[in-house]
Amino acid sequence: MAYYSGKFSFYILLTTFLCLIKLQVVGQPDIKQQWQGEWITHPKQDTVRNSWLCFRKTIDLPQKIHEKVFASIAADSKYWLMVNNQLVVFEGQLKRGPTPNDTYFDEVEISKYLRKGSNTIAILVWFWGRDGFSHKNSGRAGLLFEAQAGNMLIKSDQSWKLAIHPAYGFTGNPVPNYRLPEFNIHFDARKDFPLWFSTKFDDHIWEFARSAGKAPIAPWNALWKRPIPLWKNSGLVSYINNNKWPKISKGEQVRMILPKNITITPYLRIEAPAGLTIDIRTDNYKGGSENNVRTEYVTKEGAQEFETLGYMNGHEVIYQIPAGVKIISLKYRETRYNTEHIGFFNSNDSSLNILWQKSLNTMNLNMRDAIQDPDRERAQWWGDAVIMLGEIFYSTDSYGHAAIRKAISNLVEWQKSDKVLYSPVPSGNWDKELPTQMLAAIGRYGFYKYFEYTNDTAFIKYAYPAVRKYLELWKTDHTGLVIHRKGGWDWQDWGSKIDAPLLDNAWYYMALDGAKKMAAVAGFPEEASGFDSQMKRLHTAFNKEFWNGTTYSSKTYKFGTDDRGNGLAMVAGLGNQAQWKKMRTVLDTTFNAGPYLEKYVAEAYFIMGDASAGMKRMKKRYDPMIKSPLSTLWEGWGVGSKGYGGGSYNHGWSGGPLTMLSQYVAGLSPGKPGYQEIRVFPQPGELKRVEMGSDTKVGFVKIKFSNNSKEFELQIAAKKGGNMIVGIPIFDRPYKLITANGRRVILKDKPVGRIGLEYKGKVDNYYVFEVPAASWRFKAVYE
């Protein structure tokens, strides 16, 4: 990194920088209309791909600023902000764009970095100049800055100085695959100008910036406030095998171990002669069988330090350091989506615990500029996003919800004029619709799940019109069954033996269900009624057409039974308990689904009350991932050539077990939108002990249960206010007594006493109680 060179060690300042701003959006997106700042760029080289531009501005504040000062900053494509020699933002700016035409901007508090007198603002901008699966290229490098500091307006204009950073350039092959807008980083320290960002740097020979016009202006257009937090920044930290490198390199690979698969920027401090090339990449460089990003560092003479700015991920960082180089220090910086992972799950089954944690690790990596995978594509595929919604709700604090809002907004705002929804978006080099993924997105498990867990009515009103328009594209036959829609990529799941008609209709049924509920929330009762009528017709037609007496199967399907379509039909609500009993014996021995649709097959077991069999299937299917030393879950059932679609060992769609273990096994779900009513209906199966916790819209909820030869005990801790519906599971062995907070409520199967709860009777193999939200301990003693 350029500003690490020279005698001044910026490392000390950087490692103390841990404070980042968290922002949220409620309702419709926040578009800033009035700007004083001007977009500025290089007067001659404003369209050069992979260029690094250094901007500087020195201002004089007549007095110390006591109120908070917020800077609005936008750049194309990424930026790093320093104020008075201190790092303020490490990798700012979201990939472009919130719509096919517009750009995001960051809001950053800079108050504590300003002082009375002279102040230097320095911004490094990396302009990619090309499209990717997660970025729409504007075609022009640019920077926009605006802040009101007391009576002084600080704004970008042609008085700012700038220079093209001479040390950055292009690497040779191999280069990143076409899906990534990012380039490899090549940094030649011999060409560096040290401390260019510092207050004492002399920039008199630098050029003045060129004004591209007052914002908003093309090609960046309207500016949308960043809807997710700036990254959480660890500062520079030591590897697991710290100091286990050769003091003098022998020219062999130096493999430094990370605590798990995380997104990082590697750092080095060395002594070397000039002109040697050091290659830096991770063990995951070809994750998914395609090149992602790496760095080349060319040494200068003497002592030097460098941090690459392009993030990468993996379990190990591999430094290829030429022989004779003295290695002084190797470190890394983790940056990630800024939410705390405060949810937890623990049980007496270590395999399930490992699976839950690996699901969390995978989700963590898949949250960045978008809900995305971090290696081969860095793209927001909505099939993956739908599965990750549940993981986010059960494991993160409320700042994680902003990633879901952004994903929904992206999909809505990129809807085509012909009503087609498609993903990944934002994207400049992809425009193909995956029809069933779009149905998943707008349905019960996508947009509506967001409302179910947040009660964010305003945002559903914003998103619903896009749902209505998209469903207008789908047609049904005279019976009510949906007509297959190929779209741009006719993809349902990795693997073979796919019974597409079952999947089409199950996804469509859930899309209608989501649309019905969203229409009601948005204030369109007649439309809700219309969707409900369609669902009833489809339900009847589906069972008439596809039920063969044992399982669901289309008439053209030649492979017996597809577990995907049958599982999804049960999740959708197209089947009943009697059908499930016949179907389950087939599903117990049928394993066609890839990890994407396996989530729904396994979930069918829990929805139908077969927790023991559901956990058994889950452990069987995920067994190689559970036992693997890899800390994240895979795209397929194997890695590399043994997997699907490239065989990535980190894929968000495989993390569904986190949701199922939290929602069904521990039993926590919203009874009414936004947890206005908390439901606790655990499904212990064969487990003897479970503890879980999750942040909700009404506060943190903890659940703990144990089951032994004498009693089943359930403990719940929730913030007071509102109410809870609690289910005590009924096992084969009857209870003789149930107590709540030490007082009897059921004696020999009959209600007794009242202690601020209401007994609702036996419902679906549970004793059901309505109680005020608070701390409760239920004990059910076996006969």
Side-chain angles (χ1 to χ4, degrees):
M1 185 173 181
Y3 53 75
Y4 274 162
S5 302
K7 296 180 180 178
F8 178 67
S9 178
F10 210 62
Y11 161 63
I12 297 173
L13 290 171
L14 296 179
T15 52
T16 62
F17 173 66
L18 296 173
C19 182
L20 292 170
I21 299 168
K22 291 182 175 181
L23 303 174
Q24 279 187 291
V25 63
V26 178
Q28 295 194 16
D30 186 354
I31 303 173
K32 185 173 179 178
Q33 306 287 352
Q34 301 297 320
W35 288 82
Q36 298 300 313
E38 301 169 24
W39 277 97
I40 55 176
T41 188
H42 196 279
K44 302 183 187 70
Q45 302 181 51
D46 58 344
T47 61
V48 177
R49 295 193 310 162
N50 191 32
S51 56
W52 295 75
L53 295 83
C54 304
F55 292 88
R56 286 175 53 89
K57 177 66 176 178
T58 299
I59 60 166
D60 190 75
L61 291 176
Q63 58 189 19
K64 183 174 177 60
I65 304 298
H66 296 286
E67 65 270 20
K68 290 186 176 181
V69 178
F70 291 94
S72 297
I73 308 170
D76 198 337
S77 305
K78 291 283 184 178
Y79 74 87
W80 289 257
L81 169 66
M82 282 89 31
V83 177
N84 292 331
N85 302 336
Q86 298 184 74
L87 178 68
V88 181
V89 175
F90 188 95
E91 196 202 298
Q93 186 65 39
L94 290 175
K95 291 179 175 179
R96 196 173 177 272
T99 73
N101 300 309
D102 300 334
T103 305
Y104 289 107
F105 74 92
D106 294 347
E107 187 175 84
V108 182
E109 187 183 352
I110 60 173
S111 319
K112 68 178 182 179
Y113 305 100
L114 298 174
R115 63 195 182 198
K116 180 180 178 180
S118 179
N119 291 264
T120 298
I121 300 168
I123 303 176
L124 177 64
V125 171
W126 185 12
F127 173 62
W128 296 327
R130 67 179 180 187
D131 292 322
F133 274 26
S134 56
H135 177 73
K136 178 67 182 295
N137 177 31
S138 77
R140 194 178 191 188
L143 172 69
L144 176 65
F145 185 97
E146 180 178 298
Q148 187 71 46
N151 295 324
M152 176 175 286
L153 176 65
I154 309 169
K155 67 184 183 74
S156 50
D157 57 26
Q158 59 191 6
S159 68
W160 284 51
K161 303 297 285 290
L162 92 159
I164 299 291
H165 200 300
Y168 286 99
F170 291 87
T171 69
N173 289 327
V175 296
N177 76 81
Y178 69 95
R179 302 171 185 86
L180 303 186
E182 297 95 329
F183 288 80
N184 288 336
I185 290 179
H186 175 89
F187 188 89
D188 189 338
R190 298 170 298 180
K191 301 177 181 179
D192 188 18
F193 36 58
L195 302 177
W196 66 268
F197 58 87
S198 72
T199 55
K200 295 181 180 180
F201 183 81
D202 183 359
D203 61 15
H204 78 275
I205 64 171
W206 284 22
E207 297 180 81
F208 284 102
R210 176 183 177 181
S211 174
K214 185 178 175 181
I217 194 171
W220 306 283
N221 303 310
L223 290 151
W224 296 49
K225 185 176 178 180
R226 180 186 183 118
I228 63 175
L230 293 167
W231 309 143
K232 186 176 181 66
N233 182 343
S234 70
L236 291 176
V237 294
S238 299
Y239 292 101
I240 296 297
N241 56 337
N242 186 39
N243 286 321
K244 298 297 175 62
W245 54 75
K247 302 308 178 186
I248 305 296
S249 175
K250 298 178 181 179
E252 300 172 345
Q253 286 185 350
V254 179
R255 303 180 73 98
M256 302 306 297
I257 301 172
L258 296 164
K260 58 187 175 184
N261 190 0
I262 53 177
T263 48
I264 52 92
T265 50
Y267 161 89
L268 58 79
R269 187 153 61 95
I270 58 172
E271 288 184 13
L276 301 179
T277 298
I278 297 173
D279 182 273
I280 307 171
R281 63 182 75 183
T282 71
D283 62 308
N284 193 45
Y285 174 64
K286 291 182 72 69
S289 304
E290 303 258 13
N291 300 333
N292 47 68
V293 294
R294 64 186 182 88
T295 290
E296 291 176 355
Y297 175 73
V298 180
T299 61
K300 64 180 182 179
E301 182 75 30
Q304 54 208 283
E305 55 184 344
F306 170 77
E307 180 182 4
T308 183
L309 296 183
Y311 83 86
M312 47 187 85
N313 78 285
H315 291 86
E316 294 180 330
V317 176
I318 303 168
Y319 296 84
Q320 187 70 55
I321 303 176
V325 173
K326 181 179 180 181
I327 305 173
I328 301 171
S329 180
L330 301 174
K331 294 180 182 290
Y332 71 92
R333 177 194 308 273
E334 180 186 8
T335 56
R336 64 171 178 86
Y337 188 99
N338 196 3
T339 186
E340 297 306 317
H341 304 145
I342 58 177
F344 65 89
F345 175 90
N346 189 273
S347 74
N348 63 289
D349 189 319
S350 60
S351 293
L352 295 178
N353 299 342
I354 291 169
L355 187 53
W356 195 96
Q357 186 60 51
K358 288 191 175 186
S359 298
L360 177 65
N361 296 345
T362 307
M363 182 209 73
N364 174 53
L365 273 176
N366 281 262
M367 295 176 70
R368 190 85 181 188
D369 292 68
I371 297 176
Q372 59 179 53
D373 71 276
D375 36 50
R376 181 179 71 229
E377 297 164 335
R378 300 186 176 182
Q380 191 163 252
W381 297 98
W382 253 94
D384 306 49
V386 167
I387 292 175
M388 284 185 59
L389 300 194
E391 301 168 46
I392 291 169
F393 281 125
Y394 281 104
S395 66
T396 76
D397 63 23
S398 60
Y399 293 107
H401 303 176
I404 303 172
R405 286 193 294 272
K406 179 182 180 295
I408 294 172
S409 177
N410 288 159
L411 193 60
V412 166
E413 295 295 339
W414 280 73
Q415 188 169 34
K416 295 181 182 180
S417 59
D418 62 3
K419 304 179 184 179
V420 167
L421 293 171
Y422 68 100
S423 72
V425 289
S427 176
N429 57 354
W430 178 273
D431 66 353
K432 295 178 175 62
E433 173 198 8
L434 279 73
T436 56
Q437 284 204 14
M438 294 303 96
L439 290 177
I442 65 170
R444 184 200 307 161
Y445 274 56
F447 288 15
Y448 189 74
K449 180 174 282 287
Y450 169 75
F451 176 74
E452 186 180 13
Y453 281 73
T454 66
N455 197 29
D456 188 348
T457 302
F459 204 73
I460 291 301
K461 289 181 177 179
Y462 157 71
Y464 172 67
V467 174
R468 176 205 292 135
K469 286 193 289 185
Y470 181 66
L471 282 175
E472 290 172 2
L473 298 175
W474 287 79
K475 308 301 179 185
T476 57
D477 65 18
H478 68 282
T479 69
L481 292 175
V482 73
I483 296 172
H484 182 68
R485 180 178 172 82
K486 289 186 176 181
W489 184 10
D490 196 5
W491 186 93
Q492 299 267 14
D493 187 23
W494 289 134
S496 59
K497 301 179 181 179
I498 296 172
D499 197 343
L502 299 186
L503 296 175
D504 284 345
N505 282 280
W507 283 126
Y508 185 61
Y509 188 81
M510 287 197 287
L512 291 173
D513 190 25
K516 177 185 76 173
K517 293 171 179 175
M518 285 185 278
V521 172
F524 298 97
E526 291 184 1
E527 293 180 19
S529 178
F531 291 131
D532 185 62
S533 296
Q534 284 184 268
M535 289 177 67
K536 289 174 180 176
R537 287 188 70 221
L538 193 155
H539 190 284
T540 299
F542 187 89
N543 281 281
K544 183 177 181 180
E545 175 69 16
F546 300 124
W547 182 251
N548 62 20
T550 305
T551 62
Y552 290 112
S553 182
S554 64
K555 290 182 171 56
T556 57
Y557 188 70
K558 306 297 183 183
F559 306 102
T561 298
D562 184 11
D563 52 342
R564 306 173 183 90
N566 281 266
L568 195 65
M570 301 310 295
V571 168
L574 289 163
N576 58 37
Q577 193 69 42
Q579 290 168 309
W580 171 252
K581 288 180 180 178
K582 295 178 180 180
M583 177 194 303
R584 211 206 87 182
T585 55
V586 180
L587 292 190
D588 285 347
T589 56
T590 305
F591 306 105
N592 297 330
Y596 170 50
L597 286 184
E598 177 62 28
K599 188 264 184 183
Y600 302 101
V601 180
E603 188 167 10
Y605 284 80
F606 294 105
I607 288 174
M608 303 313 295
D610 271 343
S612 294
M615 283 183 269
K616 181 179 179 180
R617 178 175 176 120
M618 190 187 298
K619 290 199 292 183
K620 177 181 178 65
R621 298 239 66 191
Y622 279 89
D623 185 65
M625 300 192 208
I626 293 169
K627 293 177 178 176
S628 169
L630 298 171
S631 63
T632 45
L633 302 175
W634 315 338
E635 182 176 9
W637 299 116
V639 174
S641 61
K642 297 180 181 179
Y644 300 124
S648 165
Y649 68 56
N650 177 84
H651 226 70
W653 69 23
S654 294
L658 186 155
T659 303
M660 289 184 279
L661 292 170
S662 301
Q663 179 179 352
Y664 298 111
V665 175
L668 177 65
S669 66
K672 294 179 181 179
Y675 283 96
Q676 297 173 85
E677 178 181 273
I678 300 169
R679 282 178 58 87
V680 180
F681 281 71
Q683 295 189 41
E686 305 300 320
L687 293 177
K688 300 303 180 185
R689 176 185 57 79
V690 165
E691 296 179 65
M692 73 84 68
S694 181
D695 193 26
T696 75
K697 291 293 289 185
V698 295
F700 200 82
V701 177
K702 293 181 181 179
I703 296 171
K704 179 179 180 179
F705 69 73
S706 60
N707 194 20
N708 57 44
S709 60
K710 294 182 179 179
E711 64 184 20
F712 174 83
E713 181 175 342
L714 173 64
Q715 298 179 53
I716 308 166
K719 185 178 179 181
K720 290 184 178 180
N723 70 307
M724 298 191 296
I725 306 296
V726 180
I728 305 300
I730 296 173
F731 301 97
D732 292 337
R733 187 178 172 190
Y735 299 126
K736 66 179 179 181
L737 173 68
I738 300 176
T739 64
N741 287 349
R743 298 189 179 186
R744 296 186 300 175
V745 292
I746 299 291
L747 180 62
K748 295 188 180 297
D749 217 29
K750 294 182 180 180
V752 292
R754 290 289 185 271
I755 56 162
L757 58 72
E758 181 180 352
Y759 177 53
K760 296 289 190 178
K762 289 183 181 180
V763 183
D764 295 332
N765 290 316
Y766 287 91
Y767 289 91
V768 179
F769 302 91
E770 183 174 351
V771 300
S775 293
W776 288 88
R777 174 177 289 189
F778 291 87
K779 284 189 177 183
V781 182
Y782 293 116
E783 288 187 355

